[in-house]
Amino acid sequence: MTISPEAPARTHDLQVRTDPAGTPLAIRHDGQIWLVDPATDTQHWYGRDAWWDTRRTAAVGSGDLVSVEYWRVQAQIPGTNSPLRTFTLRRQPLATQWLLESIDDGS
């Protein structure tokens, strides 16, 4: 199953625990806790918000209002033989809440 922008996930039940550097360590989604596998390659990048579509205004010195943070990590439910799933997480500029961009279980 893949959750995509065409079939968005509910994001109100998503929580991400990170290390002090901001790297995701665990994800709580849909009543389950998923641990990020440290042995797999994580990907981290920034995209740009379409500020011209949102028409957001801000005072001078408000900070970076256009950089959208993304992480792609592989995680599994601890203590089970569940397969690794690939989570793509997104955080809007200046937000503290993470959003679920997609989950891919490889099928």
Side-chain angles (χ1 to χ4, degrees), residues 44-88:
H44 183 223
W45 72 95
Y46 288 88
R48 293 287 182 215
D49 187 28
W51 57 268
W52 53 89
D53 288 337
T54 61
R55 302 193 192 287
R56 231 183 309 177
T57 60
V60 173
S62 294
D64 183 353
L65 299 176
V66 297
S67 295
V68 179
E69 182 176 12
Y70 291 90
W71 280 92
R72 183 169 295 135
V73 297
Q74 292 190 323
Q76 70 183 141
I77 299 170
T80 68
N81 289 331
S82 67
L84 285 172
R85 291 180 126 183
T86 302
F87 288 76
T88 304

Side-chain angles (χ1 to χ4, degrees), residues 21-22 26 32 40-42 53 60 82 93 97 101-102:
Q32 297 286 331
T40 61
D41 184 33
T42 61
D53 288 337
V60 173
S82 67
Q97 177 66 39
E101 184 78 11
S102 66

